[in-house]
């Protein structure tokens, strides 16, 4: 199955893992995803390999960022009219709380999707949706 | 603030120990190429596991985020001549060109301003030459004070809980 076929398969079956299985980096950090109605929820299961601060321990800030970027790209692939791998233009992340070594969730909101560019906001949390550990914004070229 | 790290040889050792203690950075195989009190260069070797685009084999942007976050964090040690707990407040990455797959990535970053509570850092990711960047990053880090003092505080509060 090539990537375009995987996108169609994931959208039709609602199985986000079909898409994730194609992306080595997403597999390495352990990203999972689930379609919930017309929304998508992404999960990064607790994994010691993703730690950045072993004393606390806390997740690596880069992994939290990578998880959020992956979520944003997957979100677009799952919901765009004409799915194509989006190319990242820039990424900005604000770290609000320590990412504990536990399950992390991410949700995306597409603020604007034009013909050329998409603006996607991502929120990551662990215990409660309204207690985010990080918020981010990604611009993609479509 | 006292300068705990006296010279660049000690800085090199301390920074390498710091990097070796970051499990995810170690997993990606990051190493310190060059370091002095004004900048650091970190290398990330190529591996199949870092691919983000299965059609082109290009590295995932999250790997660059991790590389830049790591390098910017290490450069706070350069700026402070000490190992302080400096969590990332925010990070911004501009992707300037598509990286070549199959080749290592480098990050060269500098602390460009240090205040009592903040370290401001910036730098670039590159492959062939630092003058031909693939990404530009700006990161802000919060100073929480010397690591030893924080550890002591933590063990104190733990003792307090236990007693």
């Amino acid at each position: 199955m090539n990537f375009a076929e995987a996108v169609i398969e994931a959208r039709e079956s609602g199985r986000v893992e079909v898409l994730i299985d194609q992306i080595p980096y997403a597999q390495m950090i352990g990203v999972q995803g689930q379609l919930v109605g017309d929304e998508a929820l992404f999960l990064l299961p607790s994994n010691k390999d993703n730690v950045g601060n072993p004393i606390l321990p806390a997740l690596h800030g880069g992994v939290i960022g990578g998880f959020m970027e992956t979520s944003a790209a997957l979100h677009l692939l799952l919901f765009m009219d004409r799915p194509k791998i989006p190319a990242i233009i820039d990424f900005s992340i604000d770290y609000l709380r320590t990412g504990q070594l536990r399950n992390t969730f991410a949700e995306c909101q597409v603020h604007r999707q034009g013909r050329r560019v998409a603006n996607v906001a991502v929120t990551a949390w662990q215990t409660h949706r309204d207690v985010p550990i990080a918020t981010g914004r990604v611009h993609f070229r479509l | 603030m006292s300068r705990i790290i006296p010279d660049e040889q000690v800085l090199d050792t301390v920074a390498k120990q710091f990097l070796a203690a970051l499990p995810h950075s170690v997993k990606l195989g990051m190493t310190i190429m060059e370091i002095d009190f004004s900048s650091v260069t970190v290398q990330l070797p190529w591996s199949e596991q870092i691919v983000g685009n299965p059609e082109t084999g290009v590295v995932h942007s999250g790997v660059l985020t991790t590389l830049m976050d790591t390098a910017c964090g290490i450069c706070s040690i350069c700026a402070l001549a000490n190992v302080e707990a400096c969590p990332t407040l925010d990070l911004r990455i501009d992707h300037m060109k598509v990286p070549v797959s199959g080749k290592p990535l480098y990050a060269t970053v500098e602390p460009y301003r240090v205040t009592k509570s903040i370290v401001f850092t910036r730098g670039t990711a590159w492959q062939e030459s630092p003058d031909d960047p693939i990404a530009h990053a700006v990161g802000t880090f919060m100073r929480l004070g010397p690591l030893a003092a924080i550890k002591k505080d933590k063990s104190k509060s733990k003792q307090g809980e236990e007693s």
Side-chain angles (χ1 to χ4, degrees):
Chain A
M1 194 188 310
N2 66 28
F3 196 72
E5 287 164 359
V7 172
I8 294 164
E9 162 80 17
R11 289 166 69 129
E12 284 177 354
S13 66
R15 291 167 57 236
V16 184
E17 62 269 26
V18 174
L19 218 44
I20 293 168
D21 284 349
Q22 300 264 334
I23 308 169
Y25 176 76
Q27 286 181 292
M28 178 186 62
I29 63 171
V31 178
Q32 296 177 15
Q34 195 177 6
L35 282 170
V36 189
D38 284 342
E39 293 184 5
L41 179 64
F42 300 95
L43 162 67
L44 187 72
S46 175
N47 179 351
K48 281 183 180 153
D49 280 349
N50 290 341
V51 165
N53 180 330
I55 298 166
L56 292 174
L59 293 179
H60 197 299
V63 175
I64 298 172
F67 170 52
M68 291 165 76
E69 289 166 71
T70 306
S71 300
L74 289 171
H75 186 98
L76 281 178
L77 285 167
L78 290 167
F79 297 111
M80 261 194 303
D81 293 338
R82 285 184 303 277
K84 194 189 147 207
I85 298 183
I88 194 161
I89 300 169
D90 59 36
F91 175 53
S92 177
I93 179 167
D94 293 334
Y95 294 96
L96 305 171
R97 292 176 179 84
T98 301
Q100 312 278 357
L101 182 54
R102 59 192 301 168
N103 290 353
T104 307
F105 300 92
E107 264 183 331
C108 307
Q109 200 183 354
V110 180
H111 280 319
R112 161 104 176 114
Q113 190 191 315
R115 274 183 302 136
R116 297 186 187 89
V117 169
N119 174 308
V120 185
V122 194
T123 306
W125 82 91
Q126 293 188 320
T127 49
H128 297 284
R129 227 187 214 93
D130 51 2
V131 187
I133 61 160
T135 57
R137 190 231 64 215
V138 197
H139 278 128
F140 288 106
R141 190 165 41 78
L142 302 175
Chain B
M1 204 212 60
S2 60
R3 191 164 153 134
I4 309 259
I5 299 172
D7 58 49
E8 281 169 356
Q9 214 176 335
V10 177
L11 175 68
D12 183 78
T13 307
V14 170
K16 281 176 179 162
Q17 285 170 351
F18 179 83
L19 178 60
L22 310 178
H24 190 70
S25 300
V26 171
K27 184 182 166 75
L28 292 177
M30 287 185 210
T31 50
I32 293 174
M33 303 293 289
E34 274 182 38
I35 187 163
D36 57 37
F37 285 113
S38 60
S39 80
V40 63
T41 298
V42 178
Q43 191 239 41
L44 191 154
W46 177 261
S47 62
E48 290 299 326
Q49 62 180 357
I50 65 173
V51 168
N53 185 328
E55 286 178 340
T56 59
V58 166
V59 62
H60 195 283
S61 59
V63 174
L64 283 164
T65 303
T66 305
L67 174 63
M68 298 317 283
D69 185 40
T70 304
C72 290
I74 291 170
C75 95
S76 69
I77 303 173
C78 308
L80 303 168
N82 192 1
V83 180
E84 287 189 20
C86 289
T88 320
L89 266 187
D90 62 54
L91 190 64
R92 148 95 186 208
I93 318 259
D94 295 336
H95 295 268
M96 291 149 78
K97 67 175 219 182
V98 179
V100 178
S101 59
K103 290 189 171 174
L105 299 151
Y106 299 88
T108 301
V109 300
E110 54 162 4
Y112 67 97
R113 169 86 179 139
V114 180
T115 74
K116 255 193 268 176
S117 54
I118 305 288
V119 180
F120 297 93
T121 69
R122 67 182 164 208
T124 53
W126 50 276
Q127 289 183 301
E128 290 301 318
S129 151
D131 302 326
D132 187 16
I134 53 174
H136 182 266
V138 181
T140 307
F141 292 77
M142 194 161 64
R143 294 177 61 183
L144 298 182
L147 217 49
I150 290 172
K151 271 193 216 162
K152 224 182 269 170
D153 268 7
K154 255 191 131 183
S155 62
K156 244 189 230 167
S157 65
K158 260 193 191 153
Q159 280 167 6
E161 279 163 23
E162 279 160 13
S163 59

